[in-house]
Amino acid sequence: MNLLRKILFPFAILYGFITSIRNYLFDKGILKSTSFDLPVIAVGNLSVGGTGKTPQIEYLIRLLSDNYKVATLSRGYKRKSEGFVLADAGSNAEILGDEPFQFYQKFPNIQVAVDADRTNGITQLLSGNEKPQVILLDDAYQHRKVKAGFYILLSSYDDLYADDFMLPTGNLRESRSGANRANIVIITKCPGDLSVERQEQIRLKLKLTYLQQIYFTFIDYDDFIYSKEQKTAVNELKNESKLLLAGIAKPTPFFNYLKNEKDQCLAFPDHHHFSDADLDAIQGKAGSQKIITTEKDYVRLKDSKLASQLYYLPIKTTFINNHKNFEATVLEYVKSNLKP
């Protein structure tokens, strides 16, 4: 795979040139970018693959939803519906996609919508009976047709965009200069004990402007796993044989947090739609053991034939330091741009 990526280097140069021209046209106003008269926060990344967008969106929901009417708008990756969909009691993961359905299940006090056309999605939300006061755009950093008022850029600690290259040689969707649009850069999936010296090294490597803020977070796992009817402490599972199941971009940390030498680990592609054959194979490997999966996978599997033995492990974003500064910055932006 590495050799193939090197062979495709000329295509990476071409792709980088095309995306740079596109960004230039948006920056100069030659291509139209629509602004909206309310706080719009875009969360995304420069690269493909998991950087922790979902737990970061959930952090923002928790921060804002007690005091503001919040809506999330996602593309709804790999959903089987089309166009604009506003989540309701009849929604499921196939209609909304994994992450939006997870938002809908966890946060009943917000609106959750999907639309590949973010401009239309925001317009539809604002034309509804319950107009949101704040909109969170999930994975919309490259969606330049909407001009968000505030941009949060995520980059994984072990895969910094400054060390990456354009697709298909690397994993970047656009050039590193795209980071200049960010108000805040968050380095995700850090070691929990990341030193101040190492943080400063990364800050210097990214060459941020004096107006841009940088923060460091790690993935914090829950102390319990949950099923439809019960919860079990993670420390009670240490010596129990179980099957660990994940259909996410980077499952290794999830496996490492739970597994012991007796466990089986099954990894599927990100956003995998589990077929009946998949479910039979999983059940055959698990036998009567617990099947523990990620929260994102659980929303797709909770009503399947695996339900009676299926559990999930929630995760959340935790800031290594300065979380109050981050929250104050976001709240100030929302307050200053709130429609009267």
Side-chain angles (χ1 to χ4, degrees):
M1 180 60 72
N2 287 336
L3 177 60
L4 178 60
R5 286 196 166 207
K6 290 177 181 177
I7 292 172
L8 293 174
F9 178 76
F11 294 97
I13 297 294
L14 176 61
Y15 180 64
F17 176 74
I18 292 170
T19 57
S20 295
I21 291 295
R22 176 179 180 269
N23 280 330
Y24 175 82
L25 295 176
F26 274 113
D27 292 341
K28 296 300 181 182
I30 299 169
L31 292 178
K32 182 182 178 183
S33 188
T34 303
S35 300
F36 292 88
D37 191 19
L38 82 166
V40 177
I41 301 174
V43 177
N45 50 24
L46 295 184
S47 64
V48 297
T51 55
K53 292 184 295 294
T54 301
Q56 185 59 53
I57 290 284
E58 291 186 355
Y59 191 103
L60 292 170
I61 293 171
R62 293 187 182 98
L63 174 64
L64 297 168
S65 60
D66 285 345
N67 297 306
Y68 302 101
K69 294 178 182 178
V70 173
T72 64
L73 179 60
S74 310
R75 173 187 171 190
Y77 185 62
K78 286 197 173 180
R79 63 186 169 115
K80 294 186 178 179
S81 60
E82 294 183 359
F84 176 81
V85 178
L86 182 63
D88 59 24
S91 298
N92 56 36
E94 290 192 348
I95 293 172
L96 297 176
D98 302 340
E99 292 95 342
F101 188 56
Q102 182 174 317
F103 300 152
Y104 178 70
Q105 295 266 286
K106 292 181 74 170
F107 304 102
N109 60 327
I110 73 167
Q111 291 179 286
V112 175
V114 292
D115 196 336
D117 182 344
R118 305 307 205 287
T119 308
N120 180 66
I122 294 175
T123 302
Q124 293 288 341
L125 282 167
L126 295 179
S127 66
N129 293 328
E130 304 245 341
K131 295 180 178 59
Q133 295 174 296
V134 184
I135 294 178
L136 305 178
L137 297 182
D138 178 24
D139 196 14
Y141 199 81
Q142 283 78 37
H143 201 90
R144 300 294 307 270
K145 291 183 179 180
V146 169
K147 182 174 177 57
F150 199 88
Y151 288 89
I152 298 176
L153 176 64
L154 309 182
S155 186
S156 294
Y157 174 77
D158 60 355
D159 192 19
L160 296 174
Y161 65 79
D163 297 327
D164 208 343
F165 201 75
M166 296 295 303
L167 287 165
T169 298
N171 292 314
L172 293 183
R173 300 170 174 179
E174 60 173 302
S175 73
R176 302 165 194 165
S177 63
N180 294 335
R181 298 196 302 277
N183 299 88
I184 286 176
V185 175
I186 299 178
I187 308 304
T188 64
K189 303 183 179 181
C190 297
D193 59 351
L194 188 67
S195 69
V196 174
E197 291 76 17
R198 178 58 178 148
Q199 292 177 38
E200 180 63 13
Q201 289 174 2
I202 293 172
R203 188 188 68 79
L204 292 173
K205 174 181 278 193
L206 299 186
K207 298 178 180 178
L208 304 180
T209 71
Y210 74 96
L211 292 174
Q212 292 177 300
Q213 299 178 19
I214 185 170
Y215 297 92
F216 299 84
T217 66
F218 63 94
I219 293 297
D220 202 2
Y221 292 95
D222 203 294
D223 293 330
F224 294 86
I225 59 168
Y226 300 83
S227 68
K228 281 186 175 181
E229 299 177 350
Q230 64 182 33
K231 66 179 185 179
T232 302
V234 170
N235 60 18
E236 295 178 11
L237 300 170
K238 293 301 183 183
N239 297 316
E240 182 178 336
S241 181
K242 53 198 176 290
L243 186 142
L244 305 178
L245 172 67
I248 58 176
K250 297 177 181 179
T252 302
F254 166 76
F255 290 148
N256 288 344
Y257 183 74
L258 290 172
K259 74 178 180 180
N260 61 47
E261 66 278 0
K262 296 181 287 186
D263 293 339
Q264 300 180 77
C265 297
L266 284 182
F268 287 83
D270 197 15
H271 298 278
H272 182 71
H273 282 294
F274 293 91
S275 66
D276 288 339
D278 292 331
L279 299 178
D280 289 339
I282 294 166
Q283 200 167 49
K285 287 182 177 294
S288 60
Q289 300 176 113
K290 288 184 176 70
I291 300 172
I292 307 175
T293 191
T294 69
E295 192 169 9
K296 188 170 82 169
D297 292 308
Y298 182 80
V299 298
R300 281 176 286 139
L301 293 168
K302 64 187 181 71
D303 296 319
S304 72
K305 63 174 63 179
L306 305 179
S308 63
Q309 60 196 115
L310 190 67
Y311 294 77
Y312 69 91
L313 175 69
I315 62 172
K316 64 180 180 179
T317 286
T318 298
F319 283 73
I320 292 177
N321 48 32
N322 297 328
H323 74 281
K324 291 192 178 297
N325 289 348
F326 169 79
E327 293 178 0
T329 300
V330 173
L331 290 170
E332 178 59 28
Y333 161 72
V334 171
K335 182 180 178 181
S336 300
N337 293 273
L338 198 62
K339 190 174 181 180

